[in-house]
Amino acid sequence: MTAGWTEDRVGALKKLWLEGQSASQIAKQLGGGVTRNAVIGKVHRLGLSGRATPSQPARAATTFRPARTRTTPPVQPSAPRRIEAAAPAPRPVVPPPPIAAVAELPGTATVMTLGAHMCKWPIGDPSSTEFSFCGRRASEGVYCVEHARVAYQPQIKRGGKEELARSLRRYI
DNA sequence: CCCTGATTCGC
DNA sequence: GCGAATCAGG
């Protein structure tokens, strides 16, 4: 039995993923012979990668991966399937804490209606029923222009917690 | 060795 | 589109 991704399952996947559940945990909860690889694969296909709520571990994409090369026969020298892979595309590692730090209007998207090209900036408590997403057109990465500015902060001036708190405070 | 997500690529 | 295999890291 191949577990097709029904809307129900996709919805559950989105919910759990954005709640901060790990891929393996989600796979276990979904059951039906779904592996964590399947979950991760689906997450990426949905454009949900780079979630805003990291789990317990801080292990995301810490460093750039040159990607794997299993048994790649030298097909053709000039066959770049992914141009982006060559460039160190700046990706948001961890956005500011969304919980209790969002003083914006409620998002227009819910976990069920959130599309692949909608801003995935979380608004509110993920465990709350009022939890929503910005939902505007995703411009830069998974966020809209406005939120991309926050997520893609080039760097935060070092100076300890005080500086960090001050930096984040500019957006709340 | 446990875990995490990311990516590629055959299907 | 799907996901196993693989990679890279904590």
Side-chain angles (χ1 to χ4, degrees):
Chain A
M1 162 203 178
T2 29
W5 284 106
T6 63
E7 294 195 24
D8 264 26
R9 293 171 67 85
V10 171
L13 169 63
K14 287 181 179 178
K15 179 173 181 293
L16 294 170
W17 177 260
L18 289 157
E19 275 179 2
Q21 299 270 357
S22 70
S24 61
Q25 286 295 321
I26 296 173
K28 193 172 183 179
Q29 292 179 39
L30 287 177
V34 178
T35 66
R36 78 180 194 92
N37 284 322
V39 171
I40 292 173
K42 185 59 181 175
V43 163
H44 278 243
R45 263 171 256 125
L46 288 170
L48 286 168
S49 57
R51 52 141 181 245
T53 58
S55 314
Q56 308 294 322
R59 26 175 169 270
T62 50
T63 56
F64 175 69
R65 264 160 277 69
R68 100 182 210 270
T69 164
R70 188 188 171 193
T71 44
T72 312
V75 194
Q76 287 182 354
S78 54
R81 58 190 320 114
R82 291 297 166 104
I83 306 176
E84 306 154 55
R91 292 176 60 262
V93 177
V94 47
I99 304 175
V102 179
E104 323 184 52
L105 297 170
T108 60
T110 67
V111 64
M112 295 299 292
T113 63
L114 184 64
H117 298 104
M118 299 170 74
C119 178
K120 296 169 185 61
W121 189 264
I123 297 177
D125 187 341
S127 61
S128 167
T129 56
E130 313 222 342
F131 180 64
S132 61
F133 295 92
C134 170
R136 277 170 286 194
R137 182 179 63 88
S139 175
E140 197 74 24
V142 297
Y143 302 117
C144 66
V145 181
E146 175 182 322
H147 288 133
R149 262 186 49 235
V150 185
Y152 285 83
Q153 281 184 85
Q155 61 177 336
I156 296 178
K157 179 183 178 184
R158 47 177 251 101
K161 295 179 181 177
E162 303 285 334
E163 283 291 343
L164 176 59
R166 189 172 302 112
S167 297
L168 295 177
R169 196 167 183 76
R170 287 158 47 202
Y171 304 100
I172 61 178

